[in-house]
Amino acid sequence: MIMNGPVSGMRADPVITSRTNKKVAELVRLRLPRHRARAGAFLIEGYRELSRAQSRVDLLDLYYCRALWSGRHEAALLARARAGGTRLVELAEEPFRRISHRDRPDGLIGVGRIFPAPLNGLPAQHGSLLLVVQGIEKPGNLGAMLRTACAAGVDGVIICDPATDPYGPGVVRASLGHLFTVPLAITDSGSALRWLQQRGITIFAGIPDAPDASWDADLTGAAAIAIGSEQRGLSSRWAEVAHPVRIPMSAGPAGGPDSLNAAVAAGVLLFEAARQRSGIAAPGSG
Amino acid sequence: MIMNGPVSGMRADPVITSRTNKKVAELVRLRLPRHRARAGAFLIEGYRELSRAQSRVDLLDLYYCRALWSGRHEAALLARARAGGTRLVELAEEPFRRISHRDRPDGLIGVGRIFPAPLNGLPAQHGSLLLVVQGIEKPGNLGAMLRTACAAGVDGVIICDPATDPYGPGVVRASLGHLFTVPLAITDSGSALRWLQQRGITIFAGIPDAPDASWDADLTGAAAIAIGSEQRGLSSRWAEVAHPVRIPMSAGPAGGPDSLNAAVAAGVLLFEAARQRSGIAAPGSG
């Protein structure tokens, strides 16, 4: 049941106290990809994530539970959301925890409109550094790659053929909200390849037996670092056109090369590109 | 109920067909840290993980479910285990899936004896490269760090003050079994600091506002790369004695520096050390 609650800021927000409330059940369903697709909306949980979302995402609703707030800026975030036309609803702790994806919720969950992420929204100027991720299966990896790409200062991320929904709560969470700050395209491999090739952007792919070590490849020009799926790596159409680079790995106990988690591989290659682009001569190399 | 089943290899193994079997319930309980501590044993699931475990771990039992096998080498692994004194038990699919930690189990789960991991088992020769992880909370991160450390060719990993049990199924899984291949110590921060300092090993810590970029620091000598917990970073006793290095990150949307997932940070710093140690002059730096 929804009733008028205590005044928050300038006027009273509706309050939900029951965990079996119909709206609560609807929000829980947004954890599932098919319900997100049907509603055209997705969940954004957490202060940091919502703050980062405010620049790009049309925030439809914002659910809050004061008992779970841990910082000092929640009221200001609510005020900004309200000013932007977001509907605010107060939740009691029990229904809030039912919706939350977290062990330690911080009392803020928004519903954002799924936003378009076309290739032509990406920058492609001279010297761009892009991350391409293809067929990623695990939300935690996809989110960590978005976070890593932002920290490495990429100009954009292209998500191709995702095997996990980029708007899922695990991706939002692991990205710490960088799903909303990095220039982003979500597309298929064919379109991404055409777009990159038309713009003369060199595609680099981490391949275990490539002759060039990553630090021997010149990553200072317009470059797209391509990382494939956890199980299968990059699909053949990427491997065929990419310039192969090898992250030099120690031999495994069985003699073959070891491998890296997809997000770690992205980090190693992107920060190698950042190092080369910093123009600083490195000790140990001279 | 346990009964004699079809012949596997040279003699019949006992077979469990019921998911409510007492032994199955006991194995399921091994997912919990307190039951592992009480039993002095832990679960090792998967062909790759078990293969890597065979060099270091005393494998007490091996449970298998032929219907779930996907490769061609399972029988050989069983034969090696049997020859080493491991007790083999065949499981029907239903009880096997109850024990499994995976979405796509491959029909092999072992029970290993928890092994000692003392500091004095680590190498500390001239030029050693070590990874220190302190207070890590997430099994997936701890496992990914072990996998990354192996790929980067470290001489050892020191796990300090773990906030997640290193013998948990999530760590075994994310490490792909490298929990069993890398020289490993599990200890507290005080002991680890003394051990490192007594051996003159320089401790490097990733600190966001450190003056030296990671590629400006000399990581070619005896070095321990220290990574702190996901929530709180390194504890102050580490930060006080460590040589701070900065992974040069792009400014976040709010102006402050972004941050990296703990496993990604470990990968970036370890492979920077590997680059410097490779003695290869890098393009982009000259």
Side-chain angles (χ1 to χ4, degrees), chain A residues 192-216:
Chain A
L193 278 163
R194 268 193 307 281
W195 189 89
L196 291 165
Q197 291 176 321
Q198 280 164 4
R199 282 155 188 80
I201 298 172
T202 307
I203 301 162
F204 292 91
I207 306 280
D209 55 359
D212 279 359
S214 46
W215 49 67
D216 290 329

Side-chain angles (χ1 to χ4, degrees), chain A residues 147 151 215 250 259-260 275 282-283, chain B residues 147 151 178 215 250 259 275 282-283:
Chain A
R147 178 181 176 189
W215 49 67
S250 170
S259 69
L260 289 175
R275 184 190 69 78
Chain B
R147 177 181 177 190
H178 284 299
W215 48 68
S250 169
S259 70
R275 184 190 69 79

Side-chain angles (χ1 to χ4, degrees), chain B:
Chain B
M1 114 195 177
I2 297 193
M3 55 185 178
N4 283 331
V7 174
S8 102
M10 295 178 35
R11 59 174 196 268
D13 299 320
V15 181
I16 297 176
T17 55
S18 160
R19 60 177 275 125
T20 57
N21 180 282
K22 205 178 135 195
K23 187 73 201 171
V24 170
E26 209 176 282
L27 292 168
V28 169
R29 277 197 298 275
L30 284 183
R31 288 195 204 151
L32 301 175
R34 70 174 186 280
H35 285 282
R36 289 195 290 274
R38 192 178 303 160
F42 69 112
L43 297 173
I44 305 167
E45 179 165 9
Y47 176 81
R48 187 165 40 186
E49 290 75 2
L50 282 161
S51 301
R52 289 180 171 151
Q54 284 186 323
S55 62
R56 186 184 296 176
V57 183
D58 183 9
L59 201 61
L60 305 169
D61 304 317
L62 183 52
Y63 296 83
Y64 63 93
C65 173
R66 293 171 197 273
L68 294 171
W69 286 359
S70 56
R72 290 170 305 156
H73 305 295
E74 287 88 348
L77 185 131
L78 258 57
R80 283 198 304 279
R82 192 195 304 281
T86 300
R87 191 175 77 116
L88 271 59
V89 179
E90 184 159 7
L91 290 188
E93 190 169 335
E94 216 192 344
F96 191 95
R97 286 191 183 272
R98 201 178 147 212
I99 303 165
S100 171
H101 184 70
R102 301 193 173 180
D103 292 338
R104 288 172 285 193
D106 69 358
L108 294 166
I109 298 179
V111 177
R113 197 190 300 279
I114 287 179
F115 51 88
L119 278 165
N120 61 23
L122 291 183
Q125 65 271 33
H126 177 76
S128 287
L129 177 63
L130 300 169
L131 174 66
V132 174
V133 299
Q134 188 251 323
I136 296 297
E137 293 163 18
K138 295 187 184 170
N141 279 340
L142 185 54
M145 289 161 114
L146 290 161
R147 177 181 177 190
T148 303
C150 276
V154 301
D155 299 291
V157 174
I158 304 178
I159 299 177
C160 298
D161 322 323
T164 187
D165 178 10
Y167 300 96
V171 178
V172 173
R173 178 77 198 276
S175 83
L176 299 188
H178 284 299
L179 178 66
F180 315 122
T181 65
V182 72
L184 182 71
I186 303 174
T187 186
D188 59 276
S189 283
S191 306
L193 279 163
R194 269 193 307 282
W195 189 89
L196 291 165
Q197 291 176 321
Q198 280 166 4
R199 283 156 186 80
I201 297 172
T202 307
I203 301 162
F204 292 90
I207 308 280
D209 55 359
D212 279 0
S214 47
W215 48 68
D216 290 330
D218 183 352
L219 303 174
T220 59
I225 307 282
I227 303 283
S229 91
E230 296 88 343
Q231 289 294 321
R232 285 180 295 271
L234 274 175
S235 69
S236 58
R237 61 192 307 178
W238 285 95
E240 278 160 19
V241 300
H243 181 93
V245 293
R246 177 172 45 86
I247 298 179
M249 283 185 250
S250 169
D258 277 327
S259 70
L260 289 175
N261 164 282
V264 175
V268 170
L269 291 175
L270 289 172
F271 278 94
E272 173 57 20
R275 184 190 69 79
Q276 292 185 17
R277 286 154 183 257
S278 75
I280 294 165
S285 68

Side-chain angles (χ1 to χ4, degrees), chain A residues 82-99:
Chain A
R82 193 195 304 283
T86 301
R87 191 175 76 115
L88 270 59
V89 179
E90 185 158 4
L91 290 187
E93 189 168 336
E94 217 192 341
F96 191 95
R97 285 192 183 274
R98 202 178 147 212
I99 303 165

Side-chain angles (χ1 to χ4, degrees), chain A residues 29-51:
Chain A
R29 275 197 299 273
L30 284 183
R31 288 195 205 149
L32 301 175
R34 69 173 185 280
H35 285 283
R36 289 195 291 274
R38 191 177 306 161
F42 69 111
L43 296 173
I44 306 168
E45 179 166 7
Y47 176 80
R48 188 165 38 188
E49 290 75 3
L50 282 161
S51 302

